[in-house]
Amino acid sequence: MDLPPGCMVSEKQCQKVCKLKKSLYGLKQSSRAWFGRFTKSMRAFGNRQSNSDHTLFLKKQHGKITTLIVYVDDMVVTGNDPKERKALQNYLSREFEMKDLGPLKYFFGIEVSRSSEGIFLSQKKYALDLLQETGMSGCQPVNTPIQEGLKLCVEPNQGSTDKGRYQRLVGRLMYLAHTRPYLAYALSVVSQYMHNPGEQHMNTIMRILRYLKNAPGKRILFAKNVDH
């Protein structure tokens, strides 16, 4: 880490840095140090770190799988091997100070509920917050996310719009597609104009928001005893 302000060093030592021996909560280095220790512990327990997502850890044995994903200091453990899942939870409790919050209900903007049919995922709060932030809470809802047969293009004299806001909205809506895959086509259309959006493109974004207003609590079902 960089030398702290006010540290008296000679001219020859001004380019030196300090070796971090212990991380304190709140320091920018602490999260990296904690995750390094966490990764080492997970590997010691026989878990493999995913190459595509370094926060994902997997363990496969006897035809079963146990997975763990971590975000900052929150984590989700799942899989089809109850004994291994319990063993992992006990191991982590010994290695780190943590609390078991029970069955998953909410993680990273996604709400989880269970029924006799299976597991439902939704992003109702996320959708309502997005409508509130964009001033669309009182908008007139529509039944489809995009107008049928709509042809968008970049016109020479098109009305200008806030490029940064447009890009942020597309990104926020893309995250909603995790539980609303039917938004994929509409989002693929508006994402083509991220570099040079115009008024008609922003109007298309607004229509998607109006569609969300129609049913902000729609859910996706992962049914029980289904192989696909």
Side-chain angles (χ1 to χ4, degrees):
M1 58 181 291
D2 294 334
L3 295 175
C7 185
M8 302 297 291
V9 293
S10 65
E11 225 174 273
K12 292 181 180 179
Q13 295 179 317
C14 64
Q15 299 300 321
K16 291 188 175 182
V17 295
C18 295
K19 181 181 179 181
L20 183 68
K21 290 189 174 181
K22 185 175 182 180
S23 60
L24 300 177
Y25 191 82
L27 291 178
K28 64 180 181 180
Q29 295 90 354
S30 62
S31 58
R32 181 179 295 181
W34 182 88
F35 187 70
R37 184 184 164 219
F38 181 79
T39 300
K40 187 177 179 180
S41 298
M42 289 297 291
R43 287 174 174 169
F45 197 67
N47 288 264
R48 179 178 62 83
Q49 189 174 21
S50 170
N51 292 324
S52 57
D53 185 344
H54 288 176
T55 65
L56 177 64
F57 298 85
L58 307 104
K59 187 174 184 179
K60 297 179 182 179
Q61 57 182 7
H62 312 305
K64 296 184 177 182
I65 185 170
T66 302
T67 64
L68 179 147
I69 191 165
V70 58
Y71 176 72
V72 189
D73 55 359
D74 292 327
M75 60 189 73
V76 176
V77 180
T78 187
N80 58 358
D81 190 342
K83 289 184 179 179
E84 177 61 28
R85 191 169 67 239
K86 187 63 178 177
L88 176 58
Q89 288 176 272
N90 292 337
Y91 169 74
L92 290 174
S93 296
R94 293 193 302 268
E95 291 290 311
F96 303 93
E97 185 179 342
M98 59 176 55
K99 182 179 180 181
D100 184 359
L101 300 178
L104 181 65
K105 295 180 180 178
Y106 188 85
F107 186 74
F108 212 41
I110 297 178
E111 300 154 56
V112 183
S113 58
R114 296 165 178 80
S115 75
S116 56
E117 298 177 73
I119 296 176
F120 288 94
L121 301 183
S122 72
Q123 291 171 282
K124 182 177 180 179
K125 183 180 183 302
Y126 183 92
L128 291 174
D129 287 346
L130 182 55
L131 291 171
Q132 181 69 34
E133 291 168 18
T134 53
M136 297 291 285
S137 295
C139 69
Q140 185 69 28
V142 294
N143 293 323
T144 58
I146 194 168
Q147 185 179 342
E148 186 178 353
L150 179 68
K151 301 291 184 182
L152 291 178
C153 62
V154 177
E155 299 177 355
N157 300 319
Q158 67 181 9
S160 61
T161 191
D162 186 333
K163 180 179 177 180
R165 182 171 183 253
Y166 183 90
Q167 293 174 341
R168 286 191 299 273
L169 285 174
V170 172
R172 295 288 301 275
L173 288 168
M174 281 184 170
Y175 189 64
L176 264 177
H178 286 303
T179 57
R180 297 166 182 260
Y182 46 80
L183 290 178
Y185 174 72
L187 292 174
S188 71
V189 172
V190 295
S191 63
Q192 295 176 43
Y193 304 95
M194 300 275 273
H195 63 291
N196 188 22
E199 188 177 352
Q200 60 172 339
H201 309 118
M202 183 61 85
N203 289 339
T204 307
I205 292 281
M206 293 299 111
R207 182 184 176 93
I208 299 175
L209 291 172
R210 290 172 61 198
Y211 172 73
L212 291 181
K213 170 68 176 178
N214 187 43
K218 276 195 173 182
R219 306 179 296 175
I220 186 170
L221 170 66
F222 288 87
K224 284 185 178 180
N225 303 320
V226 176
D227 296 329
H228 59 278

